[in-house]
Amino acid sequence: MSKRTMGILSECIPIFTMLQDESRQQILMLLFDNREMTVSEMTENLELSRPAVSHHMKLLLDAGLVSVKKNGKERIYSLNLQTAIKQLKELLSSIETDVQYNA
């Protein structure tokens, strides 16, 4: 693979790291189905403790896969996949270019 592809792949590692965990996958599916949720709402739908859900949400937030807005004391989470989708498309395009170049 080209240096360009390897650089893009390196930028995508946080996405892959977040997606490899089954609990985070379940959280992302919940957010996809419900659009917005609080940690309490997620906890009701998962077999995870509230602190565990909060921990996963912090990781997903840091990775840029979710966004949060505050409503009083509540934090309401939603998916924020635009950047991740853009990065993954760029990675795929670069890999395709590498394969075509080496064919």
Side-chain angles (χ1 to χ4, degrees):
M1 279 193 266
S2 68
K3 287 183 181 182
R4 178 179 184 276
T5 297
M6 293 306 293
I8 298 167
L9 179 60
S10 179
E11 293 172 7
C12 290
I13 288 174
I15 299 167
F16 296 129
T17 301
M18 291 300 104
L19 295 177
Q20 75 183 5
D21 183 90
E22 187 175 324
S23 295
R24 289 190 288 270
Q25 292 171 19
Q26 291 173 349
I27 289 169
L28 292 171
M29 286 187 291
L30 267 177
L31 287 173
F32 180 81
D33 291 341
N34 294 283
R35 300 180 72 73
E36 295 183 333
M37 296 183 85
T38 64
V39 169
S40 296
E41 292 169 333
M42 288 182 240
T43 302
E44 292 172 8
N45 290 279
L46 299 166
E47 294 182 12
L48 296 170
S49 67
R50 182 178 171 85
V53 173
S54 292
H55 172 72
H56 287 298
M57 294 314 298
K58 181 186 181 327
L59 295 174
L60 289 166
L61 187 61
D62 290 346
L65 297 175
V66 298
S67 57
V68 64
K69 64 181 178 183
K70 290 185 180 183
N71 184 11
K73 290 186 178 183
E74 285 189 322
R75 294 170 58 94
I76 303 169
Y77 293 91
S78 60
L79 288 178
N80 183 22
L81 299 177
Q82 295 81 6
T83 301
I85 291 169
K86 181 181 174 210
Q87 287 177 311
L88 293 171
K89 283 181 177 181
E90 188 177 354
L91 175 62
L92 182 58
S93 175
S94 188
I95 291 170
E96 288 174 335
T97 300
D98 289 352
V99 169
Q100 290 173 357
Y101 180 76
N102 287 328

